């Protein structure tokens, strides 16, 4: 990136981060004051931004946000609600407050011993809403829950969390990766032994493409990462690279070029390209592909810092067509994925 490009990313990152912190009470998409995956992604991205910017106001906001919302956490003890805990290890290291470490260990034990699993051992994708997705494994889980386990392993030194993180990552790859294209299905029904609608949803691919190098980085020096994980990540990125549109974005269903382009999935995939290249698993062509995406995501940042072109919160839908028809709205996870892409250039 040129100096001008870095400056543009810095300005956009600041506006997007400010929009996350400002929130919008009563609007599910932008309400930061709740304990769930959507604000959790925003908080994870804010702390990723703090690591690069060292802005004290961002750290102070995150500390206050956790204190305000921790009372909700125990009533939302589901896999999708694990996302906010991913910042606990870093908060512990930055503040020295033992609460973060002790509570993270308690949640880690819950995940290892009590969290519902499918018949083949994958975390069942439980959510804070009343809906049940029995025997379903979703790509979302890798970012929402497995990333936390990897970070907990690093801060605690407990190898059992690292082992479970790698086990879950391999399981989700094995269940969700399409042998023909290398890209991922959104979910897998372990009772029916099929990918349900069979949609290769963009944001599902983003969750795994981005979380995998983050998990690997957290586990460096703690536990060796199986070669199969690197091989599957490379296959995933190779498959995604083949579906990138000329404008740098991906369709809402990645192998459907006739479908609309979607910003959050595209930003997450591009950030995953950058992070995986840093591991040395893929070459510079993936950085160039991410640069194309960056230009389009920068254009999607509105004056108030909102990121446009983001699909609403999406369960595994009945058909590919339903993904293309789903609502488009600003969301905290859309803000977060865009911010994580910008952070890669700071």
């Amino acid at each position: 990136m040129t100096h001008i490009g870095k400056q543009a990313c810095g300005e956009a990152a600041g506006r997007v981060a400010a929009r996350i912190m400002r929130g919008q009470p009563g609007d599910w998409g932008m309400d930061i004051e709740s304990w769930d995956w959507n604000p959790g992604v925003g908080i994870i991205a804010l702390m990723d931004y703090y690591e690069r910017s060292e802005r004290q106001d961002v750290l102070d906001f995150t500390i206050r946000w956790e204190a305000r919302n921790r009372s909700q956490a125990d009533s939302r003890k589901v896999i999708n609600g694990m996302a906010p805990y991913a910042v606990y290890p870093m908060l512990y290291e930055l503040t020295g407050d033992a609460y973060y470490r002790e509570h993270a260990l308690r949640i880690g034990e819950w995940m290892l011993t009590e969290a519902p699993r499918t018949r083949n051992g994958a975390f069942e994708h439980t959510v804070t809403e009343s809906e049940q997705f029995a025997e379903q494994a979703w790509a979302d889980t890798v970012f929402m829950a497995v990333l936390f386990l990897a970070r907990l392993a690093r801060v605690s030194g407990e190898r059992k969390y690292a082992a479970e993180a790698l086990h879950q990552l391999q399981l989700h790859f094995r269940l969700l990766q399409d042998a023909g294209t290398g890209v991922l299905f959104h979910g897998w029904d372990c009772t029916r032994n099929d990918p349900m609608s069979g949609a290769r949803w963009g944001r599902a691919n983003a969750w795994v493409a981005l979380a995998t190098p983050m998990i690997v980085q957290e586990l460096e020096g703690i536990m060796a990462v199986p070669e199969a994980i690197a091989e599957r990540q490379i296959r995933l990125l190779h498959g995604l690279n083949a579906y990138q549109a000329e404008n740098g974005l991906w369709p809402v269903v990645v192998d459907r070029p006739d479908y609309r382009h979607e910003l959050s999935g595209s930003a997450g995939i591009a950030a995953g390209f950058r992070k995986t290249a840093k591991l040395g698993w893929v070459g510079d062509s993936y950085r160039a592909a991410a640069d194309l995406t960056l230009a389009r995501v920068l254009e999607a940042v509105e004056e108030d810092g909102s990121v446009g072109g983001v699909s609403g919160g999406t369960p595994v839908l009945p058909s590919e067509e339903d993904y293309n028809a789903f609502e488009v709205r600003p969301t905290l996870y859309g803000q977060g994925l865009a911010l994580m892409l910008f952070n890669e250039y700071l």
Side-chain angles (χ1 to χ4, degrees), residues 58-77:
V58 173
L59 176 59
D60 291 344
F61 173 86
T62 305
I63 291 170
R64 292 194 303 269
W65 177 89
E66 189 281 333
R68 286 195 305 271
N69 291 286
R70 67 173 60 162
S71 61
Q72 303 176 43
D74 282 344
S75 64
R76 294 171 171 251
K77 197 184 288 183

Side-chain angles (χ1 to χ4, degrees), residues 15-71:
R15 286 161 54 203
V16 170
R19 186 69 187 92
I20 292 173
M21 293 187 286
R22 191 162 69 248
Q24 191 166 329
D27 176 351
W28 177 88
M30 295 296 289
D31 190 349
I32 192 68
E33 300 301 333
S34 67
W35 191 278
D36 207 347
W37 70 277
N38 179 26
V41 175
I43 292 296
I44 291 169
L46 281 178
M47 289 304 293
D48 188 65
Y49 178 52
Y50 169 76
E51 283 192 285
R52 290 157 173 80
S53 68
E54 297 185 338
R55 280 181 48 179
Q56 187 64 37
D57 63 319
V58 173
L59 176 59
D60 291 344
F61 173 86
T62 305
I63 291 170
R64 292 194 303 269
W65 177 89
E66 189 281 333
R68 286 195 305 271
N69 291 286
R70 67 173 60 162
S71 61

Side-chain angles (χ1 to χ4, degrees), residues 28 37 80 125-127 129-133 136-140 185-188 195-204 207 252-253 311-324 326-327 333:
W28 177 88
W37 70 277
N80 226 19
H125 195 79
T126 50
V127 297
E129 295 86 358
S130 59
E131 288 89 344
Q132 300 293 317
F133 303 105
Q136 291 185 17
W138 294 11
D140 312 48
F185 298 113
H186 185 180
W188 187 269
M196 295 176 277
S197 63
R200 299 166 181 87
W201 179 47
R203 200 157 60 234
W207 295 133
V252 65
V253 176
S311 283
T314 313
V316 179
L317 296 174
S319 71
E320 289 184 346
E321 290 74 16
D322 291 319
Y323 287 89
N324 195 40
F326 211 72
E327 65 175 349
Y333 56 80

Side-chain angles (χ1 to χ4, degrees), residues 231-291:
E231 291 169 358
R232 284 190 177 273
Q233 175 76 351
I234 293 166
R235 284 179 56 209
L236 168 60
L237 267 55
H238 179 76
L240 289 170
N241 197 33
Y243 290 123
Q244 187 179 29
E246 289 185 5
N247 67 358
L249 301 178
W250 279 266
V252 65
V253 176
V254 296
D255 59 339
R256 292 295 303 264
D258 53 321
Y259 282 9
R260 63 178 171 82
H261 296 149
E262 202 275 332
L263 266 292
S264 68
S266 297
I269 291 168
F273 278 13
R274 294 274 302 186
K275 288 183 180 293
T276 306
K278 287 178 183 177
L279 293 178
W281 289 4
V282 294
D284 285 342
S285 64
Y286 287 85
R287 297 176 190 268
D291 292 348

